[in-house]
Amino acid sequence: VAFVTDVGQLKDKSFNQGTFDGVKLYAANNGLSYKYYQPANGDQATDDDRYDAMKAAAEGGAKVIVAAGFMQATALTKAAAEFTDVKFVFVDRDSAVTTEDGTALKNVLGICFQEEQCGYLAGYAVVKEGFEKLGFTGGGGGTNPACVRYGYGFAQGANAAAAEMGKTVELNYTWQYGNSYSPSSELQALVNGWYNNGTEVIFCCGGNMYQSVAQAAAENDAYMVGVDTDQSPLSETIITSAMKGLSDGVQWGLAYVFEGSFADIAGKSTTLSAKENAVGLPTATWSLKNFTVEQYQAELAKIVNGEITVDNNFEMSNPEKAELSNVKVNFVG
């Protein structure tokens, strides 16, 4: 089993690491070998760099290649069409992978998550906790569909909780300094300014970017919300995390490859949601004091049974345009 990383570091305590954990666990539990490949040029990797990593994996004997991140699409389409005996599991792909004539590649399985649902739960939780001045900083410049869904879900959850409580909350919102998904002095200075001006908690969505926000939060005795995995062990400032089941999702996909039923779901994308217990908050480790596990479970149940539908518009990079009733958005381009 080969893993081709997204931008950022392998051990990012977030998207790459959560996905690779699934690869390692499935391989270890099933007597398989595994190896990871990082495209050349780091955060500046090109489609050719990603293709070269997939080619190296295929020529190195990989039976299946797990690729993380929506930016893999061009390289993966080329590699899957060339190496037809290799299966591909494409994490964060929300549609079938097709050739130029629209034919779906039958050796590719896409897996995506309803990030808007756990983003919603995080926004709902922090407002119910009592926070009224929120922030969001995301990776990918507003063009990463998963990060957009996370952030827009967060805004919707905050709006729902504020409406129930009869108040209006403020939300600073930005994609600045997030293109590389890496920590930076510029990002830290930006969010430090937010904290200095009263922001109480920031949802940070984008790999190692959390390091900049956690440092600023610590310096201001403030808080943040983690993403993708339970990031609470990384900083005392992280009070909860909007999680998606990266490890479980990868293991689920690999089981289809190695247990002979891959053809049943190949050539399309499968979306995992709260119904599959694939997104949510880590109730065992959060440090929320006012918002209870029972309240969380009740809200989660409403999403599962369809009583609450969270808008999954992945183009809503600026929730100010959504005209939310109880959230005042301050969008920083």
Side-chain angles (χ1 to χ4, degrees):
V1 183
F3 172 51
V4 177
T5 70
D6 194 14
V7 293
Q9 300 174 357
L10 175 69
K11 295 183 178 181
D12 59 3
K13 308 296 185 182
S14 184
F15 185 57
N16 278 327
Q17 189 164 341
T19 307
F20 191 43
D21 283 347
V23 170
K24 292 189 292 184
L25 283 168
Y26 188 87
N29 290 334
N30 291 276
L32 303 170
S33 61
Y34 62 88
K35 184 177 181 180
Y36 74 88
Y37 296 78
Q38 277 193 281
N41 296 312
D43 294 335
Q44 304 303 314
T46 65
D47 289 334
D48 287 340
D49 294 327
R50 297 181 183 96
Y51 166 77
D52 289 343
M54 295 178 199
K55 180 181 180 182
E59 293 180 343
K63 302 300 182 186
V64 56
I65 295 173
V66 177
F70 77 105
M71 289 189 290
Q72 306 272 17
T74 299
L76 189 146
T77 302
K78 179 180 177 180
E82 180 176 349
F83 300 100
T84 55
D85 291 336
V86 178
K87 305 294 191 299
F88 290 78
V89 176
F90 192 174
V91 180
D92 266 8
R93 175 69 178 194
D94 58 4
S95 62
V97 175
T98 62
T99 58
E100 288 185 1
D101 63 2
T103 302
L105 292 168
K106 296 299 184 180
N107 58 334
V108 181
L109 162 65
I111 299 175
C112 64
F113 298 85
Q114 290 192 248
E115 295 92 354
E116 71 277 2
Q117 292 181 340
C118 53
Y120 174 98
L121 290 165
Y124 186 88
V126 296
V127 173
K128 285 291 187 177
E129 179 71 5
F131 297 114
E132 298 182 352
K133 295 182 181 295
L134 320 178
F136 170 84
T137 178
T143 59
N144 180 334
C147 288
V148 172
R149 289 192 293 264
Y150 268 130
Y152 185 35
F154 184 73
Q156 292 175 76
N159 188 69
E164 290 177 8
M165 300 169 75
K167 63 170 65 174
T168 297
V169 299
E170 297 178 16
L171 174 60
N172 288 325
Y173 208 94
T174 190
W175 298 97
Q176 284 192 341
Y177 313 120
N179 281 332
S180 70
Y181 302 87
S182 299
S184 67
S185 57
E186 294 85 359
L187 175 60
Q188 186 170 330
L190 173 70
V191 295
N192 189 65
W194 285 3
Y195 284 131
N196 278 332
N197 287 319
T199 297
E200 300 162 296
V201 58
I202 295 174
F203 180 22
C204 179
C205 181
N208 279 329
M209 289 169 56
Y210 81 88
Q211 295 176 17
S212 295
V213 181
Q215 183 63 36
E219 291 174 359
N220 288 276
D221 195 25
Y223 303 99
M224 65 173 290
V225 172
V227 74
D228 286 340
T229 61
D230 180 5
Q231 294 187 315
S232 59
L234 306 180
S235 171
E236 292 182 354
T237 68
I238 298 175
I239 55 175
T240 190
S241 300
M243 302 189 309
K244 59 186 182 183
L246 291 165
S247 177
D248 290 343
V250 169
Q251 293 177 77
W252 173 84
L254 290 174
Y256 273 95
V257 174
F258 289 100
E259 294 172 19
S261 54
F262 185 77
D264 294 344
I265 59 172
K268 57 185 179 182
S269 178
T270 298
T271 301
L272 302 177
S273 68
K275 284 186 177 180
E276 292 81 31
N277 197 31
V279 295
L281 307 183
T283 57
T285 59
W286 76 23
S287 54
L288 301 173
K289 296 179 173 61
N290 301 320
F291 184 62
T292 68
V293 173
E294 291 74 21
Q295 288 175 300
Y296 165 74
Q297 291 173 336
E299 200 69 8
L300 176 63
K302 292 177 183 177
I303 293 176
V304 171
N305 66 28
E307 186 177 343
I308 292 175
T309 300
V310 187
D311 190 351
N312 64 353
N313 184 352
F314 64 87
E315 295 183 349
M316 187 60 75
S317 58
N318 177 7
E320 189 174 33
K321 295 180 180 179
E323 298 182 350
L324 300 170
S325 60
N326 292 71
V327 174
K328 180 182 178 183
V329 179
N330 172 36
F331 184 75
V332 181

